[in-house]
């Protein structure tokens, strides 16, 4: 090791380049492994978390094609809980924004409504106070548990907060406990209140609004629990055919349920940085090989003096390990910066992102990567040198063209670098084109100059439908009067948000099947002016107006997809339907509007949707939609003031522009594309450096040969052609191999791309051309250097 340090100190340029290349490769791997470790590998921060499972419904595929899971109804949850013997405990929860007033500024806080067993299922112990006790999810109990973040920000972290009261939804709640940071679930929740069902709500079977958690009994695995839930679902389907026919249940480990959507993207990124590391290894192996060939005489002397092959290999391996450890140390700095950027980019948009950090397991991974890299980059040169004949090396001395065999090895490394780089670049190209396609998708509305913000009014103060309608009418009247406002309305779930209500319907004049077999459509509630503010096109009929009051004929608007699905070849305006959860109310279609992307830009099929007037279906939570004639953000304070002029205790949450909202819907796609593009660019640069270094070394070693060729009449163009062909031959072989590998990667990316074929010929051709051009450029400098060889000087070399 001491000798290795002296060798590296005597070759600072070589050491600096090798360490920098390794730092990039190891740093990128460490950063991505930090994400994979936190999101995919670490168990959830709950005691014995592998026993915690999510238990959703499995909906009938004929009604919900492609939908794998669905929320749960109260009655089905209660039956599951009473009839199973595989779960130690079972709990139910829902999420919603909760207005907090009475101390400090009014806030709408993300909260969870949970059954009394919820914290026992998770195994969570409070930081202060207690969690809920049995019976507190019965009517009459108003208690709340706070997150540590909320406790510190709102109550100053004072222990006296436990036992005090706060105002939630306009009612007084007693604070009974504080949850420690890192043990909150759902992650976005900042407070928890008991989920209280009335006897009527406990009997609801056909409305699915809740999520279910359970803790498996010791010794019970997921397969056994799934088998029992299948049997219970079959019994319920036979007993309650009207509501439960075709509905099943799934038992999914909670960790898998949380990370299922992001797992493919993270695994692709982990494979990508692995490719970057292999390219870095190939580069360092080439550098070490070139430097080792220059030390052939030294190594030959060592062998002649009695050094064994193992001793030579150990010496070269030690030197490479030193390089890799230095590269790993510098790579940790690169990884730390990368992790900060990733966490800042993801924020709360990826499950478990808060746990991403460079910790013990990540450091162990980095050390392992350093040792593996040292083995890959050092053993090949060591093996190559032990095969050399020391007698030949001692006889040849300093001759520059003596190593005839090593070009094949170096060219093989270039082939590998180019192939790996091409695979990464094709993957990045597919994702770039996919994101461009998504950005070009028509969402069905105009997102420019639109401001949105959530308003959730407490039902205790606005208990009647008339009171809720009047509140939003007064707010919108004030907002529309603001200077710079072109149009304004409100909608219970804005487009691209996902979620929202899905309900079964029956069409007038057609035999209505059982509730469990009725077709379901997306249902949204909005005020007059909402579609105008969004600029959703009205295809036929009319929009809602003030005349669509509570006492008027019940009215609905339907999407084009809805009209085509249920009234093909007919005019849907004037047709009537019934929402099955509200039987006996015939609602007339008064207009047909353009299809809107409700759940995300990547929707491949338009969603059948109906829109209800808020006056006839008042809800407490609505998003204001304000179209402006000025920069939308400039009106945020004025819109919030307009709301508080109607109710001083009413906050507006999540104020942002619709374009920001649209951008957030692309966060995961942009994250994957951006990182893969960075890795592809890094691979391209490393490959270009590899080609350049191999050719430069080859030209330097063939100086005497080139001089002889030029002395015998070779022209500069001939020399350039020879050097370029020497560099492009392994490049073209690498491109051919890389194209085959890219086809396999394209199939792996099929779930991550939109509007682009995994074997898209344009992407393949463009990326191959870019890599070929870069390779050609990398050949240019060594080729130019070769033409400057003076024949007389070359012939004088020993």
């Amino acid at each position: 090791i001491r000798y290795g340090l002296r060798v590296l100190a005597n070759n600072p340029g070589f050491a600096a380049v090798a360490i920098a290349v390794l730092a990039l490769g190891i740093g990128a791997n460490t950063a991505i492994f930090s994400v994979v470790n936190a999101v995919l590998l670490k168990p959830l921060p709950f005691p014995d978390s592998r026993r915690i499972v999510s238990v959703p419904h499995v909906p009938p595929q004929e009604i919900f094609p492609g939908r794998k899971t669905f929320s749960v109804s109260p009655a089905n949850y209660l039956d599951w809980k009473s009839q199973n013997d595989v779960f130690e405990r079972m709990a139910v929860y829902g999420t919603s924004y909760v207005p907090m007033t009475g101390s400090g500024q009014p806030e709408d806080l993300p909260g969870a409504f949970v059954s009394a067993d919820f914290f026992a299922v998770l195994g969570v112990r409070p930081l202060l106070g207690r969690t809920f006790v049995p019976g507190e999810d019965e009517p009459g109990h108003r208690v709340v548990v706070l997150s540590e973040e909320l406790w510190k920000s709102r109550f100053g972290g004072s222990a006296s907060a436990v036992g005090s009261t706060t105002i939630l939804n306009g009612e007084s709640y007693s604070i009974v406990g504080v949850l420690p940071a890192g043990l909150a679930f759902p992650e976005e929740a900042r407070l928890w209140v008991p989920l209280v069902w009335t006897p009527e709500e406990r009997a609801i079977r056909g409305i699915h609004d809740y999520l279910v958690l359970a803790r498996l009994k010791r010794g019970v695995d997921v397969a056994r629990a799934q088998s029992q839930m299948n049997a219970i679902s079959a019994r319920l389907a036979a007993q309650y055919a009207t509501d439960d026919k075709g509905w099943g249940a799934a038992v999914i480990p909670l960790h898998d349920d949380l990370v299922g959507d992001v797992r493919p993207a993270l695994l692709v990124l982990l494979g990508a940085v692995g490719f970057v590391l292999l390219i870095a290894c190939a580069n360092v192996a080439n550098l070490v090989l070139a430097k080792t060939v220059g030390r052939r005489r030294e190594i030959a002397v060592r062998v002649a003096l009695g050094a064994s092959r193992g001793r030579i290999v150990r010496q070269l391996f030690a030197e490479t390990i030193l390089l890799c450890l230095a590269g790993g140390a510098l790579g940790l700095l690169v990884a730390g910066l990368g992790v900060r950027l990733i966490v800042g980019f993801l924020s709360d948009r990826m499950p478990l992102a808060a746990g991403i950090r460079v910790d013990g397991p990540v450091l162990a991974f980095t050390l392992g990567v350093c040792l593996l890299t040292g083995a890959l980059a050092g053993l090949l040169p060591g093996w190559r040198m032990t095969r050399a004949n020391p007698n030949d090396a001692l006889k040849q001395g300093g001759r520059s063209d003596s190593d005839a065999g090593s070009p094949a090895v170096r060219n093989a490394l270039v082939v590998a670098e180019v192939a790996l780089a091409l695979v990464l670049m094709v993957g990045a190209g597919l994702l770039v084109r996919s994101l461009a396609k998504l950005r070009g998708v028509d969402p069905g509305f105009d997102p420019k100059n639109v401001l949105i913000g959530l308003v959730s009014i407490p039902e205790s103060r606005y208990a009647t439908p008339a009171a809720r309608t009047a509140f939003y009418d007064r707010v919108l009247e004030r907002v529309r009067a603001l200077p710079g406002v072109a149009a304004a309305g409100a909608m219970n779930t804005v487009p691209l948000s996902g979620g929202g209500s899905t309900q079964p319907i029956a069409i007038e004049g057609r035999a209505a099947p059982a509730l469990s077999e009725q077709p379901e459509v997306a249902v949204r509630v909005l005020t007059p002016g909402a579609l105008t503010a969004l600029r959703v096109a009205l295809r036929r009929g009319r929009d809602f107006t003030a005349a669509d009051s509570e006492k008027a004929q019940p009215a609905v608007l339907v999407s084009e997809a809805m009209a085509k699905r249920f009234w093909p070849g007919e005019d849907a305006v004037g047709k009537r339907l019934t929402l099955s959860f509200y039987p006996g109310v015939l609602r007339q279609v008064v207009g047909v509007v353009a299809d809107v992307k409700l759940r995300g830009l990547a929707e491949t099929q338009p969603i059948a949707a109906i829109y209800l007037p808020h006056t006839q279906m008042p809800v407490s939570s609505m998003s204001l939609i304000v179209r402006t004639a000025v920069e939308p953000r400039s009106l945020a304070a004025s819109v919030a003031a307009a709301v508080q002029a109607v109710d001083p205790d009413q906050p507006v949450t999540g104020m942002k522009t619709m374009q920001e909202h649209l951008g957030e819907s692309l966060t995961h796609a942009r994250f994957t594309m951006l990182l893969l593009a960075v890795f592809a660019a890094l691979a391209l640069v490393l490959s270009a450096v590899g080609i350049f270094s191999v050719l430069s070394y080859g030209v330097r070693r063939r100086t005497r040969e080139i001089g002889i060729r030029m002395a015998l009449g070779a022209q500069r163009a001939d020399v350039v052609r020879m050097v370029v062909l020497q560099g492009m031959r392994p490049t073209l072989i690498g491109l051919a191999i890389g194209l085959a590998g890219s086809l396999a990667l394209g199939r792996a990316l099929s779930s991550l791309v939109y509007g682009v074929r995994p074997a898209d010929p344009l992407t393949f051709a463009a990326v191959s051309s870019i890599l070929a051009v870069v390779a050609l450029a990398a050949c240019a400098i060594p080729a130019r250097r070769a033409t400057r060889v003076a024949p007389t000087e070359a012939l004088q070399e020993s």
Side-chain angles (χ1 to χ4, degrees):
I1 290 175
R2 285 196 300 270
Y3 183 72
L5 288 171
R6 289 201 300 273
V7 168
L8 297 179
N10 290 333
N11 297 273
F14 159 77
V17 172
I19 290 171
V21 168
L22 289 167
L24 290 174
I26 294 173
N29 272 268
T30 301
I32 293 302
F33 181 77
S34 300
V35 180
V36 171
N37 181 54
V39 177
L40 298 186
L41 302 182
K42 272 187 181 178
L44 295 174
F46 307 118
D48 208 0
S49 64
R50 298 188 186 281
R51 292 167 53 206
I52 305 174
V53 294
S54 173
V55 190
H57 262 314
V58 176
Q61 288 301 294
E62 59 271 18
I63 301 176
F64 297 95
R67 185 82 175 265
K68 295 181 180 178
T69 60
F70 212 87
S71 49
V72 181
S73 64
N76 282 340
Y77 159 72
L78 294 171
D79 284 339
W80 291 354
K81 187 175 183 180
S82 64
Q83 296 182 27
N84 87 84
D85 62 8
V86 293
F87 300 125
E88 189 176 278
R89 293 178 182 271
M90 209 169 194
V92 63
Y93 68 101
T95 58
S96 177
Y97 276 88
V98 181
M100 176 179 277
T101 55
S103 57
Q105 282 290 108
E107 282 187 275
D108 260 350
L109 298 169
F113 295 82
V114 305
S115 61
D117 278 348
F118 180 80
F119 297 108
V121 168
L122 294 175
V124 172
R125 294 185 179 276
L127 179 67
L128 287 177
R130 63 174 176 84
T131 56
F132 302 145
V133 297
E136 283 187 330
D137 52 1
E138 300 292 334
H141 296 276
R142 293 196 181 98
V143 291
V144 60
V145 172
L146 307 178
S147 68
E148 184 177 358
E149 176 196 3
L150 180 60
W151 171 59
K152 289 180 177 179
S153 64
R154 188 93 184 187
F155 300 92
S158 171
S160 63
V162 176
S164 65
T165 60
T166 188
I167 305 300
L168 301 176
N169 263 326
E171 297 181 326
S172 179
Y173 278 71
S174 175
I175 301 172
V176 298
V178 176
L179 284 194
L183 292 182
F185 179 86
E187 280 193 323
E188 67 274 9
R190 296 178 66 191
L191 57 86
W192 294 259
V193 296
L195 175 61
V196 178
W197 284 332
T198 64
E200 293 77 17
E201 289 171 327
R202 293 169 70 88
I204 293 174
R205 196 169 296 276
I207 301 177
H208 307 86
D209 282 335
Y210 300 97
L211 302 170
V212 174
L213 289 179
R215 181 176 282 271
L216 294 167
K217 288 183 177 179
R218 294 190 183 278
V220 175
D221 60 14
V222 170
R224 179 180 162 190
Q226 181 64 67
S227 177
Q228 185 169 102
M229 290 306 298
N230 291 343
I232 294 173
S233 298
R235 286 201 301 270
L236 294 178
Q239 189 175 356
Y240 304 102
T242 299
D243 294 306
D244 283 352
K245 183 179 179 182
W247 288 83
V251 180
I252 306 169
L254 180 60
H255 187 275
D256 293 351
D257 191 38
L258 291 176
V259 305
D261 290 342
V262 300
R263 184 186 299 274
L266 289 182
L267 292 179
V268 165
L269 290 175
L270 188 61
V273 290
F275 280 14
V276 171
L277 184 61
L278 288 174
I279 294 172
C281 287
N283 259 337
V284 173
N286 259 324
L287 290 171
V288 173
L289 186 61
K291 183 58 64 177
T292 305
V293 168
R295 295 168 61 189
R296 288 189 65 183
R297 184 176 177 82
E298 170 207 329
I299 292 172
V301 170
R302 286 174 171 271
V303 172
L305 292 175
S308 65
R309 284 189 173 187
R311 182 60 182 267
I312 298 300
V313 170
R314 284 200 304 274
Q315 179 60 51
L316 295 177
F317 182 70
E319 294 172 14
T320 311
I321 286 293
L322 289 172
L323 284 175
C324 292
L325 290 175
L330 185 58
L332 283 175
L333 299 178
V334 174
L337 176 61
V339 166
R340 285 196 295 273
L341 292 174
I342 290 170
V343 172
F345 185 84
L346 291 178
S347 182
D348 57 351
R349 299 166 197 160
M350 179 180 286
L352 308 177
I356 299 173
R357 60 179 61 88
V358 178
D359 53 13
V362 174
L363 291 174
F365 170 83
T366 304
L367 178 60
V369 168
C370 291
L371 296 176
L372 178 63
T373 303
L376 292 175
L379 291 182
L380 176 63
W383 171 78
R384 181 76 185 86
M385 292 313 301
T386 59
R387 294 179 65 236
N389 188 326
N391 293 324
D392 292 341
L394 291 172
K395 290 176 183 176
Q396 289 166 347
R399 287 275 301 274
S400 62
D401 54 355
S402 59
D403 185 33
S406 61
V409 177
R410 293 194 296 272
N411 286 340
L413 292 173
V414 170
V415 169
E417 289 185 48
V418 172
L420 293 172
L422 181 66
V423 171
L424 282 184
M425 291 174 65
V426 167
L430 290 173
L431 291 184
V432 168
R433 292 204 63 208
S434 177
L435 188 61
K437 292 275 187 181
L438 281 173
R439 288 185 174 279
V441 167
D442 179 9
F445 61 91
D446 181 4
K448 297 176 183 176
N449 280 22
V450 174
L451 184 71
I452 59 175
L454 179 66
V455 177
S456 296
I457 56 177
E459 293 187 2
S460 59
R461 288 211 310 272
Y462 300 92
T464 65
R468 292 193 283 272
T469 299
F471 171 83
Y472 284 106
D473 285 345
R474 292 198 299 273
V475 166
L476 289 173
E477 182 180 357
R478 288 180 175 272
V479 170
R480 289 168 183 147
L482 293 174
V485 172
M491 192 173 183
N492 68 331
T493 306
V494 294
L496 305 179
S497 296
S501 175
T502 303
Q503 298 185 25
I505 63 166
I507 305 298
E508 184 186 30
R510 302 179 191 175
L515 182 63
S516 61
E517 298 177 355
Q518 289 179 8
E520 302 216 10
V521 298
V523 177
R524 301 292 184 267
V525 178
L526 48 78
T527 67
L531 296 180
T532 301
L534 286 172
R535 290 185 179 167
V536 176
L538 180 67
R539 301 303 192 200
R540 290 185 297 282
R542 64 172 179 84
D543 196 353
F544 294 141
T545 68
D548 294 305
S549 64
E550 182 182 1
K551 297 180 180 179
Q553 162 70 42
V556 295
L557 296 170
V558 300
S559 66
E560 283 186 288
M562 171 89 175
K564 291 175 182 177
R565 177 178 173 183
F566 292 98
W567 300 283
E570 301 180 58
D571 187 358
V573 175
K575 305 296 185 181
R576 298 199 296 180
L577 57 86
T578 300
L579 293 176
S580 300
F581 293 154
Y582 303 91
V585 181
L586 273 174
R587 303 173 191 272
Q588 185 171 9
V589 178
V590 298
V592 178
V593 299
D595 292 321
V596 173
K597 299 282 188 180
L598 296 178
R599 300 192 182 106
L601 289 174
E603 288 174 359
T604 55
Q605 297 295 328
I607 293 176
I610 67 173
Y611 302 91
L612 304 174
H614 184 250
T615 48
Q616 296 176 359
M617 186 72 73
V619 294
S620 58
S621 181
M622 299 279 279
S623 287
L624 300 180
I625 303 170
V626 184
R627 178 163 294 279
T628 68
V630 296
E631 202 284 317
R633 277 282 183 184
S634 66
L635 290 180
S638 299
V639 170
V643 173
Q644 293 180 348
V646 177
D647 184 342
D649 289 332
Q650 184 57 56
V652 182
T653 303
M655 196 88 79
K656 57 190 171 185
T657 69
M658 184 61 84
Q659 287 182 304
E660 290 171 339
H661 174 64
L662 188 150
E664 289 172 2
S665 72
L666 297 174
T667 296
H668 286 163
R670 190 166 56 243
F671 168 73
T672 308
M673 180 277 295
L674 183 63
L675 284 186
L676 197 56
V678 168
F679 299 149
L682 184 57
L684 180 64
V685 171
L686 290 177
S687 297
V689 169
I691 295 169
F692 168 79
S693 62
V694 167
L695 285 182
S696 293
Y697 180 76
V699 168
R700 190 165 58 251
R701 294 195 60 76
R702 296 176 67 183
T703 298
R704 191 166 184 271
E705 174 198 336
I706 292 171
I708 293 172
R709 286 176 179 271
M710 296 185 72
L712 293 175
Q715 301 298 310
R716 289 193 172 189
D718 298 322
V719 174
V720 168
R721 187 180 305 109
M722 178 187 70
V723 174
V724 169
L725 286 176
Q726 179 187 344
M728 291 305 293
R729 190 176 294 113
T731 298
L732 293 176
I733 295 172
L735 288 176
I737 296 173
L739 285 174
S742 299
L743 291 172
L745 178 65
R747 287 192 293 271
L749 290 176
S750 58
S751 63
L752 303 177
V753 298
Y754 171 86
V756 181
R757 287 188 296 161
D760 179 54
L762 180 61
T763 303
F764 278 58
V767 168
S768 299
S769 300
I770 291 172
L771 188 51
V773 169
V774 170
L776 193 60
C779 297
I781 296 177
R784 188 164 177 265
R785 182 179 297 161
T787 62
R788 294 182 175 180
V789 172
T792 53
E793 295 178 8
L795 291 173
Q796 289 173 0
E797 287 190 0
S798 58

